[in-house]
Amino acid sequence: MDKLLANLPTPLDKELGFFLAAEFSFGQAGIEDVFANLIVALLAIRLVRKIGPYAIDGYFLEPYHSVSRGAAMANVLYRIVAPVVITEALHLVISCLLFLLCGRMAAVDLRWLSVVTYWIVLFVIKVARRLFLAPIGFLFEALASLALCLLFDSSVVSRIVLEGLSVFDNTNVGFQMLISIGFMLVYGITSLVVGSTGFGEDTSGYLKERLEKALYGYLRHYRQVINECKHGERFESDYLFRALFLTVMYIEDHNRPKLIRRIESVLSRVGLSKTTGIMQCKAVDDSSFLKSYYTDEESVRVAFPKLLTLWEEFIYGAAMNGSGDSNVGAVWFTSNWYSFDAEQFECVLVHRFSQIYGDYRGSKSLECDSIFAQVLDFVKNENNRNVPTRIAISSELFNNHAQLYPDTVMTATAGDLGFYGDRELEPDHGVIWSLSYSEDILSCFIRIIESLKKTNSTTIDSIRIVNNVYCRVEYGGRFLWNEGLGTSWYKNDRPKARR
């Protein structure tokens, strides 16, 4: 190194020599310097967060998806500069205390370790608390902050004793150039953190394309894993649940990219990370599960029943308690299945997704309804917009209420229970439902249709067969054929109103 410095021009030789002596004097540093830098870093983490709202207008925590580009740039600049200024200020306080105690000028060596420690501890905190990260943007923020610390410490702080306050002279062209370069660097980092490029441009197309690529990737990699789960058929038969599941997967994957998840799997072994895998699941206390972390596929298997339970709780709550802007219309049910209006549930879910995700995540502070709306649009486009008007599910969700009248198809509308036919059917019309589904039920249903065709006093209004759920026929007029119906069927006629 000395030979290399000797070949440099004299001014540069002196400056570089001073820089190395001021910043990398490892021989003079002791354990007390390392300890002091650690304390300064921990204090800085607290102070940066506390001072932020007072230092800049529009202080935000990551992510910056719902803020303007200007506000995001101000926040990125603050996060780069604030650790440097605050750590150096704390070191100045330490130097003053040492002067008062020892009667001579003294300072902590390797002050840049405070900034390095600051960013390492901040990274661990973000991983442990499941906060959103833009890994590349975070890395460049840290590197820019460290570079600024080294430059500021060697060019200003270390020279104060030798040159006095003249080191703060900022009238030279070179310093102005550094400001310009710094602004360009902050702009680039902001683009990485925000996830778009350019001032004022419409990035919706870019973001939509990136979202669709991610969702198609999930379907390729995890669709088979999902279908192998218990009740995995729900992922295909219920497009609203499919959109809900993919949205949670996208948010958690965006929150924890693959590189971060690998680090989490290491941290989980020492108890620093509680959630792992693409779905960010907590490892259960199970003797059959020996690892302290989940792979992406394992986390999908663990998350599926949890999200399905949350979705069914939402359906049940909307049927039994929904009113006003959360009214989802009539839910039909028996002890074996239920059916709901897809469009009405879709309208409510678009504005309620954050609540379901909050139950999954353990915090309802994150607003992500707009992300769900985009994923829902993707799911509908995937099916060429061919989605059912009603979704029918084989489930015992309403079994307790169905036991009140086990031989009927019941309805629930905002908690108001009733029987199908009293309100839904026109006068002089009827309906025949199967209460369950089997080959025998289907054979009987065919005989019912044939009998309706032969009855001159009836007309068939509609026929519907939902595999593994029910058969249903609506008719006009009076139909007296009851052969073979028994308790497997529900038949209701609504007679003409008397004049």
Side-chain angles (χ1 to χ4, degrees):
M1 179 63 71
D2 293 337
K3 187 176 181 180
L4 179 62
L5 293 176
N7 294 327
L8 293 173
T10 301
L12 186 58
D13 177 16
K14 291 182 178 180
E15 289 295 329
L16 189 55
F18 183 85
F19 172 77
L20 294 175
E23 302 303 325
F24 299 98
S25 53
F26 294 104
Q28 300 176 12
I31 188 65
E32 65 278 2
D33 294 288
V34 177
F35 181 75
N37 279 304
L38 174 61
I39 297 299
V40 167
L42 295 178
L43 289 173
I45 289 175
R46 186 72 175 174
L47 290 174
V48 168
R49 178 67 62 84
K50 287 291 184 180
I51 296 173
Y54 303 98
I56 59 174
D57 183 25
Y59 177 77
F60 294 94
L61 298 177
E62 295 92 341
Y64 306 120
H65 299 308
S66 59
V67 303
S68 67
R69 177 61 65 102
M73 286 190 67
N75 278 267
V76 170
L77 181 60
Y78 174 76
R79 282 174 169 78
I80 292 174
V81 175
V84 178
V85 175
I86 291 174
T87 55
E88 290 291 2
L90 291 173
H91 279 298
L92 179 60
V93 172
I94 293 175
S95 297
C96 293
L97 292 175
L98 290 175
F99 178 77
L100 293 174
L101 294 174
C102 304
R104 61 185 180 85
M105 292 300 298
V108 177
D109 290 320
L110 306 179
R111 289 180 291 275
W112 51 270
L113 279 179
S114 297
V115 174
V116 173
T117 307
Y118 169 91
W119 286 102
I120 292 175
V121 174
L122 187 62
F123 174 78
V124 173
I125 290 174
K126 286 179 176 290
V127 170
R129 294 184 178 178
R130 302 177 64 197
L131 298 174
F132 274 75
L133 279 177
I136 298 178
F138 183 87
L139 175 62
F140 276 100
E141 276 185 334
L143 292 177
S145 186
L146 177 58
L148 180 62
C149 175
L150 291 170
L151 181 63
F152 182 70
D153 193 73
S154 62
S155 300
V156 179
V157 177
S158 297
R159 296 177 182 269
I160 291 178
V161 178
L162 302 175
E163 302 179 28
L165 297 180
S166 62
V167 295
F168 291 102
D169 180 18
N170 61 352
T171 58
N172 57 81
V173 176
F175 189 76
Q176 302 299 330
M177 184 61 69
L178 287 176
I179 292 177
S180 301
I181 294 173
F183 181 82
M184 294 171 62
L185 179 63
V186 170
Y187 177 88
I189 293 174
T190 304
S191 296
L192 293 172
V193 173
V194 175
S196 58
T197 57
F199 277 114
E201 69 178 46
D202 181 10
T203 59
S204 58
Y206 166 78
L207 295 175
K208 182 178 180 180
E209 181 181 1
R210 190 174 66 174
L211 173 69
E212 289 186 349
K213 285 182 178 179
L215 295 175
Y216 275 123
Y218 302 151
L219 293 176
R220 285 194 303 270
H221 287 94
Y222 303 112
R223 196 164 209 156
Q224 184 61 34
V225 175
I226 294 171
N227 289 334
E228 291 173 355
C229 295
K230 185 179 181 181
H231 304 303
E233 71 279 355
R234 285 289 297 272
F235 188 77
E236 304 297 339
S237 62
D238 184 348
Y239 77 95
L240 292 178
F241 175 67
R242 184 159 72 252
L244 185 151
F245 192 92
L246 289 175
T247 304
V248 173
M249 180 176 285
Y250 176 78
I251 293 173
E252 296 296 352
D253 183 36
H254 185 73
N255 184 12
R256 291 292 187 275
K258 183 169 288 188
L259 175 62
I260 304 300
R261 295 199 295 272
R262 289 175 180 173
I263 296 173
E264 277 185 328
S265 65
V266 175
L267 294 176
S268 65
R269 300 177 186 181
V270 293
L272 292 178
S273 181
K274 302 298 183 182
T275 57
T276 53
I278 192 171
M279 300 299 289
Q280 288 294 287
C281 298
K282 290 185 178 180
V284 296
D285 185 12
D286 187 353
S287 58
S288 64
F289 187 76
L290 301 179
K291 295 189 296 184
S292 58
Y293 65 93
Y294 290 116
T295 64
D296 288 347
E297 290 76 13
E298 289 169 342
S299 72
V300 168
R301 294 188 181 96
V302 171
F304 185 88
K306 182 177 181 180
L307 280 171
L308 183 57
T309 299
L310 292 174
W311 173 225
E312 292 211 316
E313 287 176 352
F314 181 84
I315 293 172
Y316 182 86
M320 303 308 296
N321 304 302
S323 61
D325 63 349
S326 61
N327 185 16
V328 293
V331 176
W332 309 332
F333 66 90
T334 69
S335 61
N336 299 299
W337 55 262
Y338 63 86
S339 176
F340 57 85
D341 187 291
E343 184 177 358
Q344 288 182 311
F345 256 90
E346 180 181 313
C347 293
V348 173
L349 187 56
V350 166
H351 301 290
R352 296 283 194 273
F353 170 79
S354 293
Q355 298 177 13
I356 299 178
Y357 177 63
D359 291 330
Y360 177 83
R361 184 174 185 259
S363 171
K364 298 190 178 183
S365 60
L366 184 64
E367 292 292 334
C368 44
D369 292 337
S370 61
I371 300 178
F372 173 77
Q374 296 176 62
V375 176
L376 177 62
D377 191 60
F378 165 85
V379 168
K380 294 168 73 173
N381 285 333
E382 187 196 13
N383 292 333
N384 297 317
R385 314 298 291 190
N386 296 321
V387 294
T389 56
R390 292 191 71 90
I391 295 175
I393 302 298
S394 177
S395 170
E396 298 180 355
L397 178 63
F398 292 91
N399 181 54
N400 289 337
H401 294 291
Q403 294 306 315
L404 297 174
Y405 296 93
D407 299 332
T408 63
V409 173
M410 299 186 67
T411 63
T413 307
D416 183 14
L417 297 178
F419 308 108
Y420 184 88
D422 292 339
R423 304 171 188 172
E424 292 82 4
L425 293 174
E426 295 291 332
D428 197 32
H429 284 72
V431 63
I432 298 176
W433 290 84
S434 60
L435 301 178
S436 58
Y437 189 90
S438 66
E439 291 185 4
D440 292 338
I441 290 289
L442 186 58
S443 298
C444 184
F445 187 66
I446 294 173
R447 294 199 303 271
I448 291 171
I449 299 299
E450 292 298 323
S451 180
L452 280 167
K453 289 179 180 178
K454 295 176 182 178
T455 305
N456 294 329
S457 60
T458 62
T459 58
I460 298 176
D461 295 335
S462 66
I463 300 173
R464 188 172 188 186
I465 300 176
V466 180
N467 289 336
N468 300 316
V469 183
Y470 64 74
C471 302
R472 173 175 177 263
V473 58
E474 282 195 10
Y475 57 87
R478 298 286 292 172
F479 181 57
L480 303 177
W481 186 83
N482 292 317
E483 180 184 348
L485 289 183
T487 58
S488 299
W489 293 88
Y490 169 65
K491 178 176 178 293
N492 182 280
D493 286 318
R494 187 174 181 184
K496 287 183 179 179
R498 293 183 178 181
R499 295 182 178 178

